[in-house]
Amino acid sequence: QVQLVESGGGLVQAGDSLRLSCTDSGRTFTGYAMAWFRQAPGKDRELVSAMSAAKTTYYAESVKGRFSISRDTAKNALYLQMNSLKPEETAVYYCAGRLSGLRIRADDYDYWGQGTQVTVSS
């Protein structure tokens, strides 16, 4: 089965960059839409970026121009490059996957990682 694991989170200062990674040790991402969600304390989980199996991408309006989602098929990995990070983007970031097409709602995704903490200081 799909087993997703995130890594790359940490403590950074506002304006810094960070790259998150998501890997599936059990199988490839072929045929899956993949996404990055984030959830801050007391807030709902929100979609940050997503990529369909056909490499169509989606970005939340708040991160357009600063974040970039990518997939490395050979390494069976999904990445989220985050530039110019803001304190309000402090959250646990989750990797998620689903069969077939890209969706923007968290409950449309079937597979989830455990999350990686990103903390952005002022």
Side-chain angles (χ1 to χ4, degrees), residues 15-17 38 48-49 57-69 80-86 89:
D16 284 354
S17 297
R38 66 188 176 195
V48 178
S49 183
T57 59
Y58 170 91
Y59 294 94
E61 192 66 30
S62 64
V63 308
K64 286 183 178 178
R66 295 187 298 114
F67 289 13
S68 179
I69 190 170
L80 183 67
Q81 177 66 45
M82 305 185 293
N83 298 325
S84 301
L85 282 161
K86 304 174 181 179
E89 292 174 319

Side-chain angles (χ1 to χ4, degrees), residues 103-122:
R103 298 291 185 271
I104 64 174
R105 297 173 65 247
D107 59 9
D108 283 329
Y109 286 79
D110 303 306
Y111 307 101
W112 293 85
Q114 81 291 342
T116 185
Q117 177 71 46
V118 173
T119 301
V120 185
S121 63
S122 300

Side-chain angles (χ1 to χ4, degrees), residues 5-81:
V5 179
E6 303 96 335
S7 63
L11 174 63
V12 298
Q13 294 183 328
D16 284 354
S17 297
L18 206 58
R19 188 175 76 160
L20 305 182
S21 298
C22 171
T23 59
D24 176 15
S25 61
R27 58 204 295 176
T28 70
F29 294 153
T30 301
Y32 288 80
M34 303 296 297
W36 289 99
F37 287 82
R38 66 188 176 195
Q39 186 167 27
K43 296 184 178 180
D44 293 332
R45 189 168 298 186
E46 65 174 346
L47 177 64
V48 178
S49 183
M51 176 178 283
S52 74
K55 306 296 180 66
T56 298
T57 59
Y58 170 91
Y59 294 94
E61 192 66 30
S62 64
V63 308
K64 286 183 178 178
R66 295 187 298 114
F67 289 13
S68 179
I69 190 170
S70 61
R71 184 186 303 204
D72 187 329
T73 303
K75 295 182 179 180
N76 197 31
L78 181 75
Y79 304 100
L80 183 67
Q81 177 66 45

